[in-house]
Amino acid sequence: MLPTPGALMRLTCCVLLLPHGLTHAAKKGVWRRVEAVSGREAVLPCEVGALDSSDMVFVVLWYTNGEKEPIYSYDNRPGRLQAPEERHTIKSKLLEGRATFRPGQVPALHIKPVLSADQANYTCRVDFRIASSRRTHLSLRVVVPPGQPELRVAGQKITGGVLGPLQEGNSLSVTCSVAGGIPPPTLVWKKHNKELDSKVESRTSSMTVNELTIKHLSRSFHNARLTCVATNNNVTSPVHATVTAIMNLRPLVTRLESPPKSLRVGREYEIPCVVAGSRPQANITWTLGNVASHSPIVANTEHGVNVSTSRVRVTASRRHHGQRLTCTSLNHLFPAYPLTDSILLNVTYPPVATMELGRGVLSVVKEGEDVYFNCNVDSNPPTYKISWYRDGKPILHWPEEGIVVSSNSLALRGVTRHQAGPYVCSASNVEGDAHSPSLNLTVNYAPVCDEGNTPPQVYAAGVGQYINVTCDVVASPATVKYSWVFNNSLTSERLPGNQVFTTPDGRSMVQFMAKAHQDYGTLQCWAQNSVGRMTQPCLFTVIPAGRPERPVGCSVVNKTYDSLVVGCSPGFDGGLPQTFAAKVFEAVTGRGQANVTSNWANFTLEGLTPGLDYVINVVALNSLGSSDPVTLEAFTYKMAENRMRDEKVEEDVPALSSEAGVLMGNLVVVVVVVAVLVVVLMVVLVRCLLVRRQQEDEPADSSRRNKILAPPDHPTGSISVGEGGGAAGAHTAVTFEMADFMYGHPGQPPPPPTLSVEHEKK
């Protein structure tokens, strides 16, 4: 019978994997061991070695135990007419029908089935046509595999391949026994292919026993495969028996899964608790509260294969802040081993502010007393700012004014009436801002004049003219009594009741009339309430009516080629309604150009000649006369077409030399000066004749009525003509002073101007 390919492969590998030095040592008498399993195939390799191409194997002979007669021969000599099977000769009856020599790449003697009696020392001799003979020494060992291991616990055979359930922390003892086996087998306990125990407790010719003892079962033995492996050779696969340990386990992990570090008030949070490692599944409970008081919470729990998840929903509130949320897992088989995890709830919420007055302070105080406020705040996280407000306006730390802001308190030292009103404190943290309910502070004070509703302080009236003077005061309490006193350099007297009235809005009014010039003076209004009398009266000055004061701040605010805009602010009207007038004159000729009146101190002067200098006089008027004038100087722009015409003329003038330009410039200056002098002299002569003729025609008593009201400063005009050419040039200035003739009666000529001509040669 031919050996199976698997057996041949195992034996062949055993021979081929031997070290090369051992192969050469066999030639010197070293025996190489070959193992074979009883009932299977034994393969005994024969060393042939490398041959020369001209050489060949002639004869192969097999011997056992040093005998001189071969037990098997193979004749490969050429020239002999034999069939291939006739070349093999078996001389041992023990090997008949079971042994055959197979030449080839790995020549070997195959014995199948191999018996225990085949165990012996074998020698293979190979004879070559040319080379010397070679010998291979082999020691065949026939082994008998052990039987199937049996597992027992407390003498009971384990069936079904499952051991348990075992209790975590308890001890375990499992026995493995194997029958037969030549040579006697070794027994090894393994856990997931990791060796646990290899010590054999007892061994007989028919039985080998190894007992596995574990004093403390850890959770690593749950679902562990415990295997007893028996082996006594390197040819056959080891025999084994495996059992899976099942255990009851305490919870290994109880953990709050990603609990929030902080909870915002009013929001709902789902907090999961994961329990793992318990078998059977653990019971999960939740509690919320401090040590003294725990309240259970309803949870939603889901159990998996090895993990249970329980979830609770918590709507964060202010009362939850600082309380502990606890998740507890407990396996009923291990009542002494609960496992918990917990967090201290940190609920963040915006501030809640309340305000109160300091101890012994009432909400109604008198002016001058000290007031203290306290701002009580409940917030998480703590506030980073506390602000104070009165009537919606912020209060700042100002010790110099008696306002002291420190931490959560406000002190008002020497409180004034202006500090009365609703007070609010505001607290801020990262969650938001909060304002306390307002606390109204009432400051009682004696009457004072109402600065926000002040009537005129100066009244102008004529003799025999009634005026109504109203007195308005503020006070707390608001119920006041009034009295009036008239005072001047001659007398001081209290006004009678028939001159004093009370207006519908609670103010006091007096009707006053100056019967003579000595009746002008000061009216004093006094008021008193339950706090006291006002320290300073409200003063009203009555003066005789007169001419208005001159406008102030006058200036030319805009100008074009034919208009000027003048803006002023009105002065005192003299106690009577006033109007305003503006007159415009040409600066050189004195000819009037415009005369405008207005109820306002602003004028738009239109229809002026482009490119001229003007003098503008502004006065205020009432029924008693006019004010002193305000004099302005201005000019209108030249029209664009005139400038273009001038430029065009200049382009047509041929270029002159520098000397000619200087002479021409001097000539132009002289002509201009002469022309100006002639015009001015003619104007002066004409005006002098007109003045003289008028004086002769008018009566003497009208001289005062027609008197010219000239201002102290006469307007001054100037004309400047200049020209330069290279290093030389000429400059001529004409200056004139003219009396202000604009304030006489219409038709009255102004005084003649004073003219000076100045020529400067450069």
Side-chain angles (χ1 to χ4, degrees), residues 266-297:
R267 292 189 179 181
E268 184 180 66
Y269 294 84
E270 182 180 82
I271 303 176
C273 179
V274 177
V275 177
S278 177
R279 190 177 183 277
Q281 295 164 345
N283 183 32
I284 303 175
T285 57
W286 292 80
T287 55
L288 175 65
N290 49 32
V291 177
S293 173
H294 284 97
S295 58
I297 302 178

Side-chain angles (χ1 to χ4, degrees), residues 505-524:
D505 55 0
R507 295 183 294 175
S508 181
M509 183 183 71
V510 65
Q511 285 187 343
F512 182 80
M513 180 181 67
K515 298 179 180 179
H517 290 287
Q518 61 268 22
D519 291 339
Y520 292 98
T522 301
L523 291 172
Q524 298 179 355

Side-chain angles (χ1 to χ4, degrees), residues 40 98 120 131 153 206 224 275 391 419 454 462 554 596 607 686 693 751:
R40 299 187 182 183
R98 298 187 299 115
V153 174
S206 60
V275 177
D391 201 15
Q419 294 173 311
T454 304
C554 293
V596 179
V686 171
R693 185 179 300 173

